[in-house]
């Protein structure tokens, strides 16, 4: 998959979350930024769920 196709797919997959300003997709990174801890775990779970539903996976060593 080309970089542009991957970027387009990620933007489509997370469009609603990107529009909230809490998630950003850049190349092969998904950045979750939320103030405070409230809602953080739920948002992370939603991102992981969407990745899994689309046969996409994270490398644990790249997660911080």
């Amino acid at each position: 998959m080309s970089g542009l196709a991957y970027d387009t797919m990620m933007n489509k997959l997370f469009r609603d979350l990107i529009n909230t300003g809490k998630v950003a997709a850049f190349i092969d990174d998904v950045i979750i930024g939320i103030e405070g801890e409230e809602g953080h775990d739920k948002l992370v779970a939603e991102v992981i769920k969407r990745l899994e539903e689309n046969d996409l996976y994270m490398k644990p060593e790249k997660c911080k």
Side-chain angles (χ1 to χ4, degrees), residues 14-64:
F14 296 115
R15 176 166 296 152
D16 61 321
L17 299 177
I18 290 169
N19 288 340
T20 67
K22 297 177 182 175
V23 172
F26 181 72
I27 305 176
D28 66 345
D29 294 320
V30 177
I31 302 163
I32 300 171
I34 188 168
E35 289 188 33
E37 293 182 26
E38 186 176 334
H40 180 267
D41 292 345
K42 184 177 178 181
L43 185 56
V44 170
E46 178 62 26
V47 168
I48 292 169
K49 179 180 143 232
R50 291 184 191 195
L51 290 171
E52 288 176 343
E53 288 174 347
N54 289 276
D55 294 321
L56 300 168
Y57 300 92
M58 301 172 292
K59 291 183 179 180
E61 65 270 12
K62 290 184 74 177
C63 297
K64 299 182 201 182

